[in-house]
Amino acid sequence: MSEQPVIHWFRRDLRITDNTALNAALETDSPVITVFCFDDKILNSPNTGTPRLAFMLNVLDNLQTAIWKAGGRLLFLRGNPLQTLPALVAETGASAVYVNKDYTPYAVSRDRAMQEALSVPLHCYDDALIMAPGTVLTKNGDPYSVYTPFKNNWRSGIKQADYAVQDTPDGHLYRIHEVDAATDLPSLEELRGDTDIDLPTATEEHAQQRLEHFTDGVIYKYDTRRNELTPDPFDGSDAGTSQLSPYFRMGVLSPRQAFTAAAKAGKNAPSDEAKASVTTWADELIWREFYMHVMAHFPHVYRGNFRDTYDNLAWDDNPDALERWKNGETGYPIVDAAMRQLKTTGWMPNRARMVVSSFLTKDLLINWREGERHFMQLLVDGDPAANNGGWQWAAGTGTDAQPYFRIFNPTSQSTKFDKNGDYIRRWVPELSDLGKKAIHEPWTMKLPPKNYPEPIVDHKQAREKTLAAFKKARGDA
């Protein structure tokens, strides 16, 4: 064994198992120092939310315990990684740094600068995706900007070896003790403040158990249950969705682990319907890959519309309406229930995300970037690429965009996906005594509840206003 160590720099790959860069470091036959850097630029970003930061700290706490049990120690750095990581390399005499790639514009720029800042090689690996950016292209060699052909190409090119879960090599994690550059794991109070959100269990073991539980049975009904509006996430109940998104966001689970589990479920499916349901869930994993490819190939989406046609769209500047939307006080029960759930749990079902994002951008005609930022501040699973892609899809400004003229009716969405009103009753308790019809549109009652607001807008009128604004931006008016 070489006496000179190497460093594995954890970023959004907070796990020991099936970790491509960590495995490469372990295979060097050198002692491996593991490190995580609290980047002040990320910590101070308006897109860094307290609930997600709290969950990440819990993940890191459990990761450092797992690394200690494996014979190593997870070091923590604080500051600008372009300064703190080279200092750690100099102090430890490390011969190389191993990392898994991230695809946000900031991460790409940071890693390019890190190549220059380090006096040793920076070895970068594609780990966050099964098919890395640049491997799924059109016949002309261009990146895709529409999901369905991307998915078809992705599926036609995938091989079992691409999603095989990697065994952890028998390398040596190094338990270094005295390190001037390192600090202890900071508390949430030190970094940001407190949160009273009940966070999901933050261990690799729990994430893998949840994946196994989902793909052992629940996945076979995913097609019919995925639009269920789950009132209380992460409580152990069998929701219609996997609720694995926080673990994918932090890299507690790898995409290979997920796709391998899905492939196994597909082989064991008890019926054609069940097998089709597995395919539907796997397609959601491909959506995740698609949006990361989009961000890697078209980094301008992080700053604004994918389609510049809508750069001149006359969005409404309405701070009061925006605050009412954020606080769940719009007068539309399904919208308010979802927004209150987000504020309380740091999560909401995907169907609810579509409903509230359509309402903000199409009923209130407020710029989707306001919603994108609010979601990133509150979502435990907030992912820059997926969140950006979802908001632009809802607004009709992005790749594979929902046509601008297709606007969700919040009342029909409510009656279709919360038929009995149970989701609304859970999160809008002032409406809990209303019947199955009135709870979806209390403003139609002879005596509407006095402690619940009237609708902030008339949906039909708002729809016409939005159509006119989009047509004008397109030059169709």
Side-chain angles (χ1 to χ4, degrees), residues 2-227:
S2 169
E3 293 299 320
Q4 193 173 17
V6 297
I7 292 173
H8 172 69
W9 176 17
F10 282 104
R11 282 109 70 97
R12 56 173 301 162
D13 57 332
L14 305 183
R15 66 185 183 281
I16 294 178
T17 56
D18 193 38
N19 185 317
T20 308
L22 177 60
N23 286 356
L26 291 169
E27 287 173 346
T28 63
D29 201 34
S30 298
V32 177
I33 298 171
T34 56
V35 61
F36 181 88
C37 180
F38 288 91
D39 185 336
D40 283 337
K41 188 166 185 177
I42 295 176
L43 288 174
N44 295 328
S45 168
N47 286 327
T48 299
T50 302
R52 189 166 60 260
L53 183 59
F55 179 64
M56 185 185 75
L57 289 171
N58 290 348
V59 170
L60 288 168
D61 190 26
N62 287 304
L63 180 62
Q64 73 171 342
T65 298
I67 289 175
W68 186 269
K69 289 180 179 178
R73 177 189 171 197
L74 179 57
L75 302 178
F76 297 102
L77 308 178
R78 173 76 187 273
N80 183 345
L82 296 176
Q83 298 171 349
T84 59
L85 197 62
L88 182 65
V89 168
E91 184 176 353
T92 60
S95 61
V97 176
Y98 289 76
V99 298
N100 289 312
K101 294 178 184 177
D102 195 356
Y103 305 105
T104 65
Y106 170 68
V108 171
S109 173
R110 176 198 58 198
D111 289 354
R112 190 180 299 118
M114 188 63 76
Q115 296 273 8
E116 300 296 324
L118 288 173
S119 59
V120 298
L122 178 69
H123 300 292
C124 302
Y125 296 83
D126 288 297
D127 176 80
L129 301 172
I130 293 174
M131 303 288 276
T135 64
V136 185
L137 301 171
T138 68
K139 291 180 180 179
N140 294 329
D142 298 321
Y144 284 96
S145 60
V146 177
Y147 168 71
T148 299
F150 173 89
K151 177 190 71 174
N152 294 338
N153 192 334
W154 192 100
R155 281 195 171 277
S156 67
I158 193 72
K159 301 179 180 65
Q160 187 171 349
D162 293 325
Y163 59 86
V165 176
Q166 311 160 26
D167 292 328
T168 303
D170 294 327
H172 175 55
L173 292 173
Y174 185 42
R175 187 173 292 178
I176 186 170
H177 288 282
E178 298 299 325
V179 188
D180 291 339
T183 183
D184 293 329
L185 176 65
S187 67
L188 181 62
E189 290 77 13
E190 291 177 76
L191 296 179
R192 177 62 61 84
D194 204 359
T195 180
D196 55 4
I197 284 178
D198 189 14
L199 298 165
T201 304
T203 65
E204 275 190 65
E205 181 182 18
H206 180 80
Q208 291 168 3
Q209 289 172 349
R210 194 172 189 93
L211 173 64
E212 183 178 1
H213 174 74
F214 175 72
T215 54
D216 272 354
V218 181
I219 194 173
Y220 297 132
K221 296 182 179 179
Y222 179 77
D223 237 352
T224 57
R225 296 187 59 195
R226 62 185 174 137
N227 283 310

Side-chain angles (χ1 to χ4, degrees), residues 247-282:
Y247 303 105
F248 289 133
R249 171 62 183 93
M250 294 298 166
V252 183
L253 278 176
S254 79
R256 293 171 296 280
Q257 290 171 312
F259 209 80
T260 295
K264 179 182 176 182
K267 290 179 181 178
N268 296 334
S271 66
D272 289 343
E273 291 79 8
K275 189 169 185 177
S277 190
V278 173
T279 299
T280 300
W281 187 69

Side-chain angles (χ1 to χ4, degrees), residues 279-339:
T279 299
T280 300
W281 187 69
D283 286 348
E284 294 300 315
L285 300 179
I286 301 173
W287 266 109
R288 176 179 176 272
E289 303 236 338
F290 173 66
Y291 281 139
M292 283 202 189
H293 280 237
V294 169
M295 185 157 282
H297 290 298
F298 306 103
H300 73 275
V301 299
Y302 199 62
R303 302 186 302 273
N305 302 317
F306 176 80
R307 302 180 187 277
D308 59 10
T309 300
Y310 300 113
D311 286 351
N312 295 321
L313 183 67
W315 298 106
D316 271 0
D317 182 14
N318 192 332
D320 179 65
L322 178 61
E323 286 305 306
R324 286 181 62 177
W325 175 82
K326 289 180 179 180
N327 293 325
E329 298 171 350
T330 68
Y332 284 90
I334 194 66
V335 174
D336 295 342
M339 296 306 295

Side-chain angles (χ1 to χ4, degrees), residues 226-238:
R226 62 185 174 137
N227 283 310
E228 290 181 6
L229 296 174
T230 307
D232 296 291
F234 318 120
D235 65 352
S237 62
D238 277 342

